[in-house]
Amino acid sequence: MNAIEINSLSKSFKKSLAVDNISLSVEEGEIFGFLGPNGAGKSTTMMILTTLLKPTSGHASVYGYDVISNPSQVRKNIGFVQQEIGIDEYLTARENLQFQCKISQVPKEQVTKRIDEVIDLVELKEKQDEPSITFSGGMRKRLDIACGLIHRPKVLFLDEPTVGLDIQTRRKIWEYIRKIHKEFGMTLFVSTHYMEEADSLCDRVGIIDYGKIQAVDTPESMKNKLETDMITLSVTPDKTKKQRFIKKLKTLDLIKDVKINETNMIVQSSNSTQVIPKIFQISSEIGASIDSFVLNKPTLDDVFISYTGHNLRDETNGKFNKRKEFNQSRRRAL
Ligand SMILES: Nc1ncnc2c1ncn2[C@@H]1O[C@H](COP(=O)(O)OP(=O)(O)OP(=O)(O)O)[C@@H](O)[C@H]1O
Ligand SMILES: [Mg+2]
């Protein structure tokens, strides 16, 4: 049985369609990444899967339990670490976990052992008796994650677990997530708008944009499907030789395109292993020297652009955040 099944799921808010007819399945034990920019519909989908919101149409189930007709069974099997940190800042780390054990009905005789276990896992032993208001952002998130897994859910939902954290803290959180996965073998459903996170952490990734799923696959296979290695060459400044070089390269079947800028030549190819020797062969035939040579494989960034037609980074970090403006104007219109 799949851990999560989503069929034709939609959610609209008054005038806006946050989730638009999505279908996907998540296998038991995998780390599934839900990758999309601000306002893509990630949190809305996760809130439906965790029974906090009702869909407008469609179906979703967790371990075979329908989120609408059987929400209490769904809740028993899941943990949800929401986008906003959910801990009580005035309680110590240990008290937060004790409280969490109470509300998720962890058997009394197991409480101390479970708390010791998760506190060790997220490396908060030294700080366990200090009020969490004194914690850094990364430590708060670690405690929040510990609260989400104290009752040993079968599926743990993590909504943007590293948003707003610096890159070192982010990498540390990925380490904890991997550790949790290894230790408990649970299914993880992680939303993110960080490419590196999806690429490094997830077994499979679903790209969501404007409420629609654009693609679902392993990061590796998504990149391979693009079939565009980029070979950047710095070649002889001799214009005539350069032109002859480009003309000859363009006759090769495996080369998709050759672009030139002021200093470099960029060769796009579906098969760099076969093309590279040919590039050198042609350069020596026409006497054009190659001064430098760099091969870049496609990144998940390139994958995102190819499916959505825009760059995720521009959307999330850019100074002019068009999507935010779009969402704000949409909300104003409500
Ligand atoms: N309670 C709500 N009422 C009205 N509109 C909502 C509500 N919740 C979400 N939306 C809208 O639905 C769309 C999807 O929002 P959602 O929070 O699911 O996106 P997200 O992918 O989680 O974005 P972010 O990366 O910013 O967290 C947005 O346009 C948002 O404004
Ligand atoms: Mg969100």
Side-chain angles (χ1 to χ4, degrees), residues 1-4 26-30 62-65 73-80 148-149 151-157 180-181 184-189:
M1 185 198 299
N2 281 324
I4 300 170
V26 176
E27 286 165 29
E28 190 171 3
E30 77 175 326
V62 177
Y63 274 92
Y65 297 114
Q73 277 304 327
V74 172
R75 278 182 219 138
K76 274 187 190 152
N77 285 290
I78 60 165
F80 187 19
L149 58 93
H151 59 296
R152 297 193 185 151
K154 283 186 174 169
V155 187
L156 181 62
F157 291 88
I180 290 164
H181 186 247
F184 299 106
M186 57 183 55
T187 308
L188 293 175
F189 190 101

Side-chain angles (χ1 to χ4, degrees), residues 13 18 37-44 83 160 327 330-331:
F13 294 106
N38 292 131
K42 304 183 294 297
S43 297
T44 306
Q83 197 165 339
E160 306 226 24
N327 285 336
R330 198 157 64 168
R331 272 179 234 124

Side-chain angles (χ1 to χ4, degrees), residues 170-295:
R170 252 163 36 200
R171 294 212 168 116
K172 205 81 191 134
I173 299 274
W174 303 351
E175 231 177 77
Y176 295 120
I177 295 175
R178 282 195 199 97
K179 237 159 84 178
I180 290 164
H181 186 247
K182 200 169 161 209
E183 208 122 311
F184 299 106
M186 57 183 55
T187 308
L188 293 175
F189 190 101
V190 188
S191 80
T192 183
H193 63 244
Y194 296 120
M195 291 288 176
E196 322 87 276
E197 189 156 292
D199 204 356
S200 117
L201 198 63
C202 302
D203 299 316
R204 283 193 312 141
V205 170
I207 291 180
I208 180 167
D209 193 32
Y210 291 104
K212 280 192 190 337
I213 296 277
Q214 308 290 344
V216 182
D217 213 333
T218 65
E220 225 27 62
S221 155
M222 277 182 175
K223 286 183 270 184
N224 288 340
K225 273 188 200 155
L226 273 191
E227 294 187 332
T228 42
D229 294 346
M230 303 282 218
I231 306 159
T232 307
L233 307 163
S234 161
V235 292
T236 176
D238 183 323
K239 264 192 178 170
T240 332
K241 282 185 179 173
K242 211 183 222 171
Q243 288 309 328
R244 278 181 56 211
F245 196 10
I246 294 168
K247 212 170 161 188
K248 273 216 138 174
L249 286 177
K250 282 189 171 172
T251 62
L252 298 180
D253 281 348
L254 293 168
I255 289 183
K256 280 188 171 177
D257 199 8
V258 183
K259 293 194 171 99
I260 40 168
N261 60 25
E262 275 177 22
T263 47
N264 294 321
M265 217 159 94
I266 299 149
V267 180
Q268 278 178 275
S269 166
S270 53
N271 189 336
S272 53
T273 350
Q274 284 187 34
V275 157
I276 290 165
K278 293 219 158 79
I279 290 177
F280 280 95
Q281 192 190 331
I282 293 171
S283 84
S284 84
E285 277 168 18
I286 58 176
S289 61
I290 295 176
D291 300 327
S292 73
F293 173 93
V294 182
L295 167 65

